[in-house]
Amino acid sequence: MYDELKVPPRILLGPGPTIANPRVLKAMTTPMLGYLDADFVDIMDDTVALLRQVFGTQNSLTFPVSGTGTSGMETALINVIEPGDHVIVGINGYFGGRIAEIAERCGGVVTPVHGDWGDIIEPDQIAEACNKVSPKLVAVVHGETSTGILQPLEKIIEIAHQNDALFLADCVTTLGGQPVSLDARGIDIAYSCTQKCLAGPPGLSPISFSDRAVEVIRNRKTKIQSFYMDVTLLEEYWMGDTRKYHHTLSMTLVYALREALRIVVEEGEETRYERHEHNARALIAGAEAIGLEPAASENHRLPMLTTLRIPNGVDDATVRKRLIQDYNIEIGGGLGIFAGKAWRIGLMGDAANEQYVLLVLNAIEKLLGEVGHSVEPGTAVRAAAAVYQNS
Ligand SMILES: Cc1ncc(COP(=O)(O)O)c(C=O)c1O
């Protein structure tokens, strides 16, 4: 016999998933409908309309792909890249590396443009790469969750378009927490996820293609390798007057996404972005006050994910384990070259709030004290509270 499913009330302050909004969880208990039921199609249409709003786009081909953020990444690349196509990928963290890996699996000839972990990709580097190869696609990560960098996009987009290339932005971490503004910026392809700043469960990956990108896909010489991710087929299910079955969509996840997007729009996008920035400022003030230095360069920090260098002599795993055991708080460990060297604290969606900022700072301060990094009790919380008081 197995017990009834019960999980501890974790406070998820890592790189995602974040805490799902209770309204989203409630929407997930809505009964199933058939995948072509007219009422479900209406719900799909609502979801697409809301997604266009939050993506900041009029792009017709905008919908959620089944699967997590990586399925959006794979869908984006597999539809656009044909064997032999040149692809320039900015790699200044773990997820840029994943884009390059998938682009290569699609038969693309990848020119990596490396940046330091914790810093941005400079537009000049992209321009230089464009002078060497003639790219079909230039791809960068908007919010690099492994390093805590918010990549400026405008100049790189300009360079990509001057070179007649499509521009792709990985918005897995940014959608719902910072403006992605696809149309205003001229982003041709973007994908995201549901479990971070949209405060939903993992399982869908919102994606959007500009008309230019759609034209490139329609003019392919070779067939898209994947049936499941072929957007020309998925389009016939998600758009238009006569819908065609493609695969059995998870109604539950669509209900969840629709509710999550409704919440974003209700709060107001600008208010939500400012809330993420404000709480990140307070977190960093508290962290710095107890000697935890941000690992991302100062002018380019990602509000929803803060990387903090672990002080010498402090064991990463011990502190994170105690955070869970004693406080029910999950934060993230470092990825790649930051493994064991940095913590990743996510303030995503609902979790970007004063209560959790003060709680996690207090908990980390106490645990650091126990492993020999004592500061005057209350230092971190006082510094963070000052940010809230002065706003
Ligand atoms: C920037 C970025 N891209 C892609 C992914 C992959 O998303 P998923 O784990 O949902 O497949 C992540 C996951 O954290 C991410 O942070």
Side-chain angles (χ1 to χ4, degrees):
M1 289 300 288
Y2 296 93
D3 293 336
E4 186 190 347
L5 182 65
K6 280 199 194 102
V7 297
R10 288 272 193 273
I11 298 167
L12 298 176
L13 303 182
T18 188
I19 299 159
N21 184 289
R23 272 174 53 185
V24 172
L25 293 177
K26 182 161 169 259
M28 293 178 76
T29 62
T30 307
M32 295 309 111
L33 288 170
Y35 51 75
L36 282 176
D37 186 313
D39 285 302
F40 184 59
V41 170
D42 286 345
I43 292 166
M44 292 166 73
D45 288 349
D46 293 349
T47 309
V48 165
L50 285 160
L51 262 185
R52 288 198 184 112
Q53 178 167 345
V54 178
F55 261 133
T57 188
Q58 306 278 331
N59 287 343
S60 161
L61 194 56
T62 302
F63 64 97
V65 179
S66 293
T68 62
T70 307
S71 80
M73 190 187 280
E74 197 131 19
T75 301
L77 297 168
I78 211 164
N79 279 275
V80 168
I81 301 172
E82 294 190 69
D85 284 340
H86 283 280
V87 182
I88 293 175
V89 184
I91 306 179
N92 53 346
Y94 181 86
F95 292 103
R98 182 173 292 190
I99 294 177
E101 159 77 25
I102 296 176
E104 236 171 60
R105 286 170 185 248
C106 296
V109 181
V110 173
T111 301
V113 170
H114 291 283
D116 287 342
W117 282 49
D119 224 325
I120 61 167
I121 302 286
E122 293 293 346
D124 287 351
Q125 294 177 271
I126 299 287
E128 215 174 289
C130 286
N131 289 336
K132 291 190 188 132
V133 296
S134 176
K136 182 181 198 179
L137 179 71
V138 173
V140 300
V141 179
H142 188 207
E144 190 33 277
T145 332
S146 60
T147 64
I149 280 289
L150 181 64
Q151 173 69 42
L153 300 177
E154 281 73 6
K155 285 196 185 123
I156 297 181
I157 295 173
E158 208 180 299
I159 293 164
H161 287 168
Q162 278 163 0
N163 285 275
D164 220 16
L166 294 171
F167 178 79
L168 175 153
D170 175 318
C171 298
V172 167
T173 291
T174 45
L175 187 73
Q178 280 293 281
V180 294
S181 313
L182 302 193
D183 290 357
R185 284 180 163 141
I187 297 172
D188 294 295
I189 307 163
Y191 54 83
S192 186
C193 74
T194 41
Q195 75 271 17
K196 299 192 200 247
C197 292
L198 296 180
L204 288 178
S205 177
I207 197 164
S208 186
F209 293 85
S210 68
D211 291 348
R212 243 179 106 221
V214 171
E215 204 179 309
V216 167
I217 296 169
R218 295 210 198 290
N219 289 325
R220 285 176 65 109
K221 294 185 204 73
T222 55
K223 203 165 176 173
I224 296 159
Q225 300 95 311
S226 164
F227 179 89
Y228 201 67
M229 292 176 175
D230 181 334
V231 292
T232 65
L233 302 177
L234 286 164
E235 184 182 27
E236 296 178 23
Y237 178 40
W238 274 95
M239 333 254 112
D241 294 335
T242 41
R243 307 295 174 104
K244 249 169 106 177
Y245 161 76
H246 178 268
H247 67 280
T248 308
L249 196 53
S250 163
M251 285 86 223
T252 309
L253 292 175
V254 175
Y255 301 152
L257 176 57
R258 181 180 178 279
E259 190 60 16
L261 292 165
R262 250 164 47 84
I263 294 167
V264 173
V265 171
E266 253 175 49
E267 179 175 3
E269 285 113 293
E270 290 308 321
T271 309
R272 193 175 177 93
Y273 304 149
E274 168 53 30
R275 175 166 62 78
H276 280 83
E277 287 165 20
H278 187 48
N279 285 290
R281 278 196 296 276
L283 176 71
I284 289 175
E288 285 183 328
I290 54 172
L292 296 176
E293 288 307 318
S297 76
E298 190 170 353
N299 297 323
H300 302 291
R301 290 182 188 148
L302 187 59
M304 57 286 278
L305 193 285
T306 298
T307 40
L308 296 171
R309 294 191 189 281
I310 301 171
N312 283 339
V314 172
D315 182 52
D316 166 32
T318 306
V319 173
R320 284 192 293 121
K321 198 164 152 202
R322 287 283 306 280
L323 275 173
I324 289 194
Q325 273 173 1
D326 301 358
Y327 298 93
N328 244 321
I329 298 174
E330 179 188 275
I331 65 166
L335 271 184
I337 65 165
F338 282 157
K341 299 202 171 71
W343 287 316
R344 294 185 297 155
I345 303 186
L347 300 173
M348 299 177 174
D350 293 11
N353 71 47
E354 181 173 344
Q355 180 193 348
Y356 291 152
V357 169
L358 300 182
L359 187 68
V360 72
L361 284 170
N362 184 55
I364 290 177
E365 183 187 286
K366 279 177 96 172
L367 292 175
L368 283 178
E370 287 178 27
V371 295
H373 280 262
S374 297
V375 290
E376 195 199 331
T379 302
V381 164
R382 263 198 306 280
V387 173
Y388 291 116
Q389 274 154 16
N390 294 332
S391 59

mmCIF file of all heavy atoms in Angstrom, residues 45-78:
data_model
loop_
_atom_site.group_PDB
_atom_site.id
_atom_site.type_symbol
_atom_site.label_atom_id
_atom_site.label_comp_id
_atom_site.label_asym_id
_atom_site.label_seq_id
_atom_site.Cartn_x
_atom_site.Cartn_y
_atom_site.Cartn_z
ATOM 1 N N ASP A 45 -8.002 29.467 -28.097
ATOM 2 C CA ASP A 45 -7.945 30.809 -28.713
ATOM 3 C C ASP A 45 -7.661 31.888 -27.674
ATOM 4 O O ASP A 45 -6.876 32.806 -27.918
ATOM 5 C CB ASP A 45 -9.267 31.125 -29.430
ATOM 6 C CG ASP A 45 -9.437 30.312 -30.704
ATOM 7 O OD1 ASP A 45 -8.466 29.669 -31.140
ATOM 8 O OD2 ASP A 45 -10.554 30.307 -31.263
ATOM 9 N N ASP A 46 -8.309 31.769 -26.518
ATOM 10 C CA ASP A 46 -8.031 32.738 -25.435
ATOM 11 C C ASP A 46 -6.547 32.707 -25.084
ATOM 12 O O ASP A 46 -5.909 33.744 -24.887
ATOM 13 C CB ASP A 46 -8.769 32.346 -24.133
ATOM 14 C CG ASP A 46 -10.275 32.464 -24.238
ATOM 15 O OD1 ASP A 46 -10.763 33.037 -25.225
ATOM 16 O OD2 ASP A 46 -10.962 31.965 -23.314
ATOM 17 N N THR A 47 -6.025 31.493 -24.997
ATOM 18 C CA THR A 47 -4.637 31.324 -24.569
ATOM 19 C C THR A 47 -3.689 31.969 -25.578
ATOM 20 O O THR A 47 -2.731 32.658 -25.205
ATOM 21 C CB THR A 47 -4.322 29.813 -24.402
ATOM 22 O OG1 THR A 47 -5.347 29.239 -23.570
ATOM 23 C CG2 THR A 47 -2.969 29.580 -23.784
ATOM 24 N N VAL A 48 -3.993 31.779 -26.855
ATOM 25 C CA VAL A 48 -3.155 32.377 -27.906
ATOM 26 C C VAL A 48 -3.230 33.906 -27.829
ATOM 27 O O VAL A 48 -2.204 34.601 -27.915
ATOM 28 C CB VAL A 48 -3.592 31.855 -29.301
ATOM 29 C CG1 VAL A 48 -3.018 32.713 -30.417
ATOM 30 C CG2 VAL A 48 -3.169 30.392 -29.469
ATOM 31 N N ALA A 49 -4.452 34.435 -27.644
ATOM 32 C CA ALA A 49 -4.607 35.898 -27.590
ATOM 33 C C ALA A 49 -3.833 36.470 -26.393
ATOM 34 O O ALA A 49 -3.131 37.484 -26.504
ATOM 35 C CB ALA A 49 -6.086 36.261 -27.490
ATOM 36 N N LEU A 50 -3.941 35.788 -25.257
ATOM 37 C CA LEU A 50 -3.221 36.257 -24.065
ATOM 38 C C LEU A 50 -1.708 36.155 -24.258
ATOM 39 O O LEU A 50 -0.945 37.027 -23.847
ATOM 40 C CB LEU A 50 -3.647 35.431 -22.843
ATOM 41 C CG LEU A 50 -5.026 35.764 -22.267
ATOM 42 C CD1 LEU A 50 -5.563 34.622 -21.416
ATOM 43 C CD2 LEU A 50 -4.946 37.049 -21.437
ATOM 44 N N LEU A 51 -1.294 35.075 -24.910
ATOM 45 C CA LEU A 51 0.142 34.898 -25.155
ATOM 46 C C LEU A 51 0.683 36.002 -26.045
ATOM 47 O O LEU A 51 1.777 36.530 -25.802
ATOM 48 C CB LEU A 51 0.394 33.559 -25.859
ATOM 49 C CG LEU A 51 0.831 32.379 -25.014
ATOM 50 C CD1 LEU A 51 1.133 31.195 -25.898
ATOM 51 C CD2 LEU A 51 2.043 32.730 -24.153
ATOM 52 N N ARG A 52 -0.080 36.352 -27.093
ATOM 53 C CA ARG A 52 0.369 37.436 -27.980
ATOM 54 C C ARG A 52 0.559 38.712 -27.168
ATOM 55 O O ARG A 52 1.536 39.433 -27.346
ATOM 56 C CB ARG A 52 -0.654 37.678 -29.093
ATOM 57 C CG ARG A 52 -0.660 36.571 -30.133
ATOM 58 C CD ARG A 52 -1.341 37.015 -31.439
ATOM 59 N NE ARG A 52 -1.408 35.892 -32.351
ATOM 60 C CZ ARG A 52 -2.537 35.269 -32.728
ATOM 61 N NH1 ARG A 52 -3.711 35.693 -32.295
ATOM 62 N NH2 ARG A 52 -2.483 34.237 -33.545
ATOM 63 N N GLN A 53 -0.382 38.964 -26.259
ATOM 64 C CA GLN A 53 -0.280 40.186 -25.455
ATOM 65 C C GLN A 53 0.994 40.181 -24.595
ATOM 66 O O GLN A 53 1.736 41.149 -24.563
ATOM 67 C CB GLN A 53 -1.534 40.319 -24.575
ATOM 68 C CG GLN A 53 -1.448 41.536 -23.679
ATOM 69 C CD GLN A 53 -2.774 41.899 -23.028
ATOM 70 O OE1 GLN A 53 -3.847 41.415 -23.433
ATOM 71 N NE2 GLN A 53 -2.705 42.740 -22.019
ATOM 72 N N VAL A 54 1.244 39.063 -23.920
ATOM 73 C CA VAL A 54 2.385 39.040 -22.990
ATOM 74 C C VAL A 54 3.718 38.962 -23.754
ATOM 75 O O VAL A 54 4.724 39.529 -23.323
ATOM 76 C CB VAL A 54 2.216 37.878 -21.974
ATOM 77 C CG1 VAL A 54 3.402 37.788 -21.037
ATOM 78 C CG2 VAL A 54 0.939 38.093 -21.161
ATOM 79 N N PHE A 55 3.706 38.319 -24.909
ATOM 80 C CA PHE A 55 4.902 38.304 -25.757
ATOM 81 C C PHE A 55 5.126 39.671 -26.412
ATOM 82 O O PHE A 55 6.205 39.945 -26.916
ATOM 83 C CB PHE A 55 4.737 37.276 -26.886
ATOM 84 C CG PHE A 55 5.404 35.936 -26.651
ATOM 85 C CD1 PHE A 55 4.720 34.743 -26.898
ATOM 86 C CD2 PHE A 55 6.731 35.845 -26.252
ATOM 87 C CE1 PHE A 55 5.336 33.501 -26.729
ATOM 88 C CE2 PHE A 55 7.358 34.607 -26.090
ATOM 89 C CZ PHE A 55 6.650 33.440 -26.325
ATOM 90 N N GLY A 56 4.062 40.503 -26.481
ATOM 91 C CA GLY A 56 4.167 41.787 -27.177
ATOM 92 C C GLY A 56 4.273 41.581 -28.672
ATOM 93 O O GLY A 56 5.194 42.090 -29.320
ATOM 94 N N THR A 57 3.330 40.840 -29.233
ATOM 95 C CA THR A 57 3.418 40.538 -30.663
ATOM 96 C C THR A 57 2.046 40.386 -31.307
ATOM 97 O O THR A 57 1.073 40.035 -30.639
ATOM 98 C CB THR A 57 4.220 39.236 -30.902
ATOM 99 O OG1 THR A 57 4.426 39.100 -32.317
ATOM 100 C CG2 THR A 57 3.514 37.998 -30.389
ATOM 101 N N GLN A 58 2.047 40.638 -32.596
ATOM 102 C CA GLN A 58 0.860 40.342 -33.412
ATOM 103 C C GLN A 58 1.112 39.061 -34.205
ATOM 104 O O GLN A 58 0.300 38.700 -35.052
ATOM 105 C CB GLN A 58 0.631 41.463 -34.436
ATOM 106 C CG GLN A 58 0.547 42.860 -33.874
ATOM 107 C CD GLN A 58 -0.834 43.149 -33.328
ATOM 108 O OE1 GLN A 58 -1.813 42.589 -33.799
ATOM 109 N NE2 GLN A 58 -0.903 44.001 -32.332
ATOM 110 N N ASN A 59 2.249 38.421 -33.993
ATOM 111 C CA ASN A 59 2.587 37.230 -34.785
ATOM 112 C C ASN A 59 1.441 36.232 -34.796
ATOM 113 O O ASN A 59 0.990 35.773 -33.741
ATOM 114 C CB ASN A 59 3.803 36.492 -34.201
ATOM 115 C CG ASN A 59 5.100 37.229 -34.431
ATOM 116 O OD1 ASN A 59 5.158 38.114 -35.287
ATOM 117 N ND2 ASN A 59 6.130 36.878 -33.678
ATOM 118 N N SER A 60 1.034 35.852 -35.981
ATOM 119 C CA SER A 60 -0.028 34.872 -36.093
ATOM 120 C C SER A 60 0.424 33.530 -35.480
ATOM 121 O O SER A 60 -0.306 32.917 -34.705
ATOM 122 C CB SER A 60 -0.374 34.739 -37.587
ATOM 123 O OG SER A 60 -1.049 33.565 -37.799
ATOM 124 N N LEU A 61 1.628 33.107 -35.818
ATOM 125 C CA LEU A 61 2.080 31.787 -35.336
ATOM 126 C C LEU A 61 2.631 31.900 -33.908
ATOM 127 O O LEU A 61 3.844 31.961 -33.670
ATOM 128 C CB LEU A 61 3.135 31.215 -36.297
ATOM 129 C CG LEU A 61 3.454 29.720 -36.115
ATOM 130 C CD1 LEU A 61 2.204 28.859 -36.218
ATOM 131 C CD2 LEU A 61 4.496 29.248 -37.103
ATOM 132 N N THR A 62 1.707 31.941 -32.973
ATOM 133 C CA THR A 62 2.037 32.071 -31.546
ATOM 134 C C THR A 62 1.158 31.072 -30.802
ATOM 135 O O THR A 62 -0.069 31.110 -30.930
ATOM 136 C CB THR A 62 1.710 33.509 -31.050
ATOM 137 O OG1 THR A 62 2.444 34.448 -31.843
ATOM 138 C CG2 THR A 62 2.050 33.695 -29.589
ATOM 139 N N PHE A 63 1.748 30.176 -30.082
ATOM 140 C CA PHE A 63 0.977 29.162 -29.349
ATOM 141 C C PHE A 63 1.926 28.443 -28.389
ATOM 142 O O PHE A 63 3.137 28.613 -28.490
ATOM 143 C CB PHE A 63 0.320 28.156 -30.325
ATOM 144 C CG PHE A 63 1.309 27.347 -31.111
ATOM 145 C CD1 PHE A 63 1.673 26.066 -30.687
ATOM 146 C CD2 PHE A 63 1.902 27.852 -32.258
ATOM 147 C CE1 PHE A 63 2.608 25.323 -31.393
ATOM 148 C CE2 PHE A 63 2.843 27.109 -32.973
ATOM 149 C CZ PHE A 63 3.193 25.850 -32.541
ATOM 150 N N PRO A 64 1.411 27.614 -27.486
ATOM 151 C CA PRO A 64 2.310 26.841 -26.632
ATOM 152 C C PRO A 64 2.585 25.450 -27.201
ATOM 153 O O PRO A 64 1.668 24.755 -27.619
ATOM 154 C CB PRO A 64 1.545 26.738 -25.308
ATOM 155 C CG PRO A 64 0.103 26.878 -25.692
ATOM 156 C CD PRO A 64 0.008 27.546 -27.026
ATOM 157 N N VAL A 65 3.843 25.075 -27.219
ATOM 158 C CA VAL A 65 4.247 23.736 -27.656
ATOM 159 C C VAL A 65 4.163 22.797 -26.445
ATOM 160 O O VAL A 65 4.466 23.209 -25.328
ATOM 161 C CB VAL A 65 5.715 23.765 -28.136
ATOM 162 C CG1 VAL A 65 6.190 22.403 -28.578
ATOM 163 C CG2 VAL A 65 5.915 24.780 -29.246
ATOM 164 N N SER A 66 3.762 21.559 -26.665
ATOM 165 C CA SER A 66 3.753 20.580 -25.567
ATOM 166 C C SER A 66 5.195 20.286 -25.143
ATOM 167 O O SER A 66 6.062 20.067 -25.992
ATOM 168 C CB SER A 66 3.078 19.280 -26.016
ATOM 169 O OG SER A 66 1.708 19.510 -26.241
ATOM 170 N N GLY A 67 5.404 20.258 -23.859
ATOM 171 C CA GLY A 67 6.762 20.003 -23.346
ATOM 172 C C GLY A 67 7.302 21.234 -22.634
ATOM 173 O O GLY A 67 6.701 22.307 -22.662
ATOM 174 N N THR A 68 8.450 21.078 -22.031
ATOM 175 C CA THR A 68 9.033 22.171 -21.237
ATOM 176 C C THR A 68 9.815 23.132 -22.140
ATOM 177 O O THR A 68 9.789 22.999 -23.365
ATOM 178 C CB THR A 68 9.970 21.600 -20.156
ATOM 179 O OG1 THR A 68 11.037 20.914 -20.829
ATOM 180 C CG2 THR A 68 9.249 20.644 -19.218
ATOM 181 N N GLY A 69 10.520 24.055 -21.535
ATOM 182 C CA GLY A 69 11.263 25.066 -22.297
ATOM 183 C C GLY A 69 12.145 24.462 -23.384
ATOM 184 O O GLY A 69 12.265 25.015 -24.483
ATOM 185 N N THR A 70 12.746 23.335 -23.098
ATOM 186 C CA THR A 70 13.639 22.717 -24.084
ATOM 187 C C THR A 70 12.869 22.297 -25.333
ATOM 188 O O THR A 70 13.413 22.298 -26.438
ATOM 189 C CB THR A 70 14.356 21.496 -23.461
ATOM 190 O OG1 THR A 70 14.974 21.931 -22.246
ATOM 191 C CG2 THR A 70 15.438 20.937 -24.376
ATOM 192 N N SER A 71 11.602 21.949 -25.173
ATOM 193 C CA SER A 71 10.831 21.578 -26.363
ATOM 194 C C SER A 71 10.585 22.813 -27.226
ATOM 195 O O SER A 71 10.570 22.714 -28.460
ATOM 196 C CB SER A 71 9.519 20.876 -25.998
ATOM 197 O OG SER A 71 8.557 21.809 -25.617
ATOM 198 N N GLY A 72 10.440 23.976 -26.608
ATOM 199 C CA GLY A 72 10.330 25.211 -27.382
ATOM 200 C C GLY A 72 11.628 25.490 -28.121
ATOM 201 O O GLY A 72 11.633 25.880 -29.293
ATOM 202 N N MET A 73 12.733 25.286 -27.418
ATOM 203 C CA MET A 73 14.052 25.499 -28.026
ATOM 204 C C MET A 73 14.212 24.585 -29.240
ATOM 205 O O MET A 73 14.595 25.007 -30.335
ATOM 206 C CB MET A 73 15.123 25.170 -26.973
ATOM 207 C CG MET A 73 16.522 25.561 -27.336
ATOM 208 S SD MET A 73 17.745 24.943 -26.131
ATOM 209 C CE MET A 73 17.643 26.090 -24.796
ATOM 210 N N GLU A 74 13.879 23.330 -29.040
ATOM 211 C CA GLU A 74 14.042 22.338 -30.102
ATOM 212 C C GLU A 74 13.084 22.644 -31.264
ATOM 213 O O GLU A 74 13.460 22.553 -32.436
ATOM 214 C CB GLU A 74 13.794 20.938 -29.526
ATOM 215 C CG GLU A 74 14.317 19.835 -30.382
ATOM 216 C CD GLU A 74 15.160 18.806 -29.615
ATOM 217 O OE1 GLU A 74 15.078 18.723 -28.384
ATOM 218 O OE2 GLU A 74 15.906 18.086 -30.285
ATOM 219 N N THR A 75 11.854 23.023 -30.949
ATOM 220 C CA THR A 75 10.868 23.363 -31.985
ATOM 221 C C THR A 75 11.360 24.539 -32.810
ATOM 222 O O THR A 75 11.286 24.535 -34.048
ATOM 223 C CB THR A 75 9.506 23.705 -31.340
ATOM 224 O OG1 THR A 75 9.059 22.574 -30.589
ATOM 225 C CG2 THR A 75 8.466 24.057 -32.389
ATOM 226 N N ALA A 76 11.856 25.559 -32.127
ATOM 227 C CA ALA A 76 12.338 26.754 -32.827
ATOM 228 C C ALA A 76 13.433 26.364 -33.823
ATOM 229 O O ALA A 76 13.408 26.760 -34.987
ATOM 230 C CB ALA A 76 12.876 27.763 -31.818
ATOM 231 N N LEU A 77 14.379 25.572 -33.351
ATOM 232 C CA LEU A 77 15.564 25.288 -34.166
ATOM 233 C C LEU A 77 15.272 24.280 -35.276
ATOM 234 O O LEU A 77 15.710 24.436 -36.416
ATOM 235 C CB LEU A 77 16.702 24.796 -33.261
ATOM 236 C CG LEU A 77 17.162 25.847 -32.228
ATOM 237 C CD1 LEU A 77 18.071 25.222 -31.189
ATOM 238 C CD2 LEU A 77 17.856 27.023 -32.914
ATOM 239 N N ILE A 78 14.506 23.274 -34.955
ATOM 240 C CA ILE A 78 14.281 22.197 -35.922
ATOM 241 C C ILE A 78 13.441 22.675 -37.121
ATOM 242 O O ILE A 78 13.570 22.171 -38.230
ATOM 243 C CB ILE A 78 13.632 20.980 -35.222
ATOM 244 C CG1 ILE A 78 14.075 19.694 -35.891
ATOM 245 C CG2 ILE A 78 12.127 21.047 -35.186
ATOM 246 C CD1 ILE A 78 13.804 18.460 -35.062
#
